[in-house]
Amino acid sequence: MTEAADPATVLVVEDDRSLSAALAATLKAAGYRPVSAGSAAEGLRWFAHYAPDLVLLDLGLPDRDGLSVIREIRQRSPTPIVVLSARNAEAAKVEALDLGADDYVAKPFGVEELLARVRAGLRHGVQVRGSTPAVRVGDVEIDLGLRTVKRRGEPVKLTPKEYDVLCELALNGGRAVSHGQLLRAVWGSEKADVQYLRVYVGYLRHKLGETLFESVPRVGYRLVID
Ligand code: CA
């Protein structure tokens, strides 16, 4: 596997700049590729952009609660999440784990402890990837762990948003998925402009075949599976 040779990308979502810089330096020295975000919004943007191998997530963020970030990442990906937080309360820890975080490190933590959690998280991630089934729709195959798409065995390059739209449809089999559900899954709010969907489904039709995507009038879209 090429992943063994490539450094693992670790997304650090932390608004404390000095801690964030220290984490990035620590991760880099340990052979990882760190990507830093200072808010929940930036974290989710970089998550979609870099498809990191692991996320280190602070719960106390300036724009949104870190717990909502866990929820949003889990809707679309099994990427391991290690929560960093000063909140030592058992309730917050349990809530983070219930939402799908893989591990929890209480601040202040030592470098060795943190790196041990990162290693454990990445091992877990590889297992998740290895066991994640590929979804096959007609001549299109989607690897949900690696976020890659092939058509007739040939890799097709999709943008993160195109991938997310395709994935949401594929995970619903051939069932119609409403505009609201798609907008919520991909743009985080069903108030997002429904025109976005029209545009992205257009791109997907161009890349993966006109007939794969069916518009369901006044409802949304479905994949034509057979
Ligand atoms: Ca914070």
Side-chain angles (χ1 to χ4, degrees):
M1 266 169 87
T2 54
E3 272 152 291
D6 288 345
T9 300
V10 178
L11 172 62
V12 179
V13 188
E14 167 63 72
D15 60 315
D16 177 331
R17 280 165 177 247
S18 56
L19 178 55
S20 175
L23 285 168
T26 300
L27 290 166
K28 207 164 180 185
Y32 302 109
R33 184 196 308 139
V35 173
S36 303
S39 66
E42 195 177 21
L44 289 167
R45 193 156 65 237
W46 289 156
F47 183 83
H49 186 80
Y50 290 100
D53 299 287
L54 181 131
V55 179
L56 286 177
L57 175 70
D58 177 30
L59 289 185
L61 294 167
D63 53 342
R64 274 168 61 182
D65 193 302
L67 293 171
S68 72
V69 176
I70 300 175
R71 200 177 292 121
E72 203 155 317
I73 288 177
R74 273 296 163 268
Q75 282 173 359
R76 60 189 72 175
S77 164
T79 303
I81 301 171
V82 177
V83 162
L84 310 171
S85 182
R87 295 185 205 176
N88 283 319
E90 199 66 17
K93 188 189 298 190
V94 170
E95 197 174 356
L97 296 174
D98 274 352
L99 284 170
D102 296 85
D103 207 346
Y104 193 103
V105 189
K107 293 177 186 172
F109 45 78
V111 169
E112 287 310 318
E113 183 192 1
L114 178 81
L115 290 175
R117 303 297 179 96
V118 168
R119 281 194 298 274
L122 287 169
R123 274 199 301 278
H124 172 69
V126 169
Q127 283 162 14
V128 169
R129 283 175 178 213
S131 63
T132 305
V135 176
R136 185 178 280 280
V137 191
D139 57 7
V140 173
E141 191 180 317
I142 309 163
D143 185 316
L144 298 172
L146 297 174
R147 293 175 61 89
T148 54
V149 176
K150 288 180 181 170
R151 185 182 186 202
R152 295 181 193 134
E154 292 294 315
V156 178
K157 214 165 162 40
L158 299 184
T159 67
K161 285 278 187 275
E162 290 167 2
Y163 176 85
D164 289 343
V165 171
L166 173 68
C167 201
E168 190 64 20
L169 290 170
L171 290 175
N172 281 281
R175 289 188 299 276
V177 183
S178 70
H179 292 131
Q181 184 180 337
L182 283 164
L183 291 172
R184 198 164 51 241
V186 180
W187 283 274
S189 163
E190 48 192 279
K191 300 220 162 44
D193 193 337
V194 79
Q195 288 292 346
Y196 293 165
L197 275 177
R198 218 180 302 266
V199 169
Y200 279 90
V201 169
Y203 295 151
L204 286 166
R205 281 182 169 138
H206 181 69
K207 291 182 178 180
L208 298 173
E210 291 290 331
T211 56
L212 183 59
F213 302 86
E214 183 184 313
S215 304
V216 183
R218 290 181 299 281
V219 177
Y221 293 92
R222 63 182 281 267
L223 292 185
V224 179
I225 284 182
D226 40 32

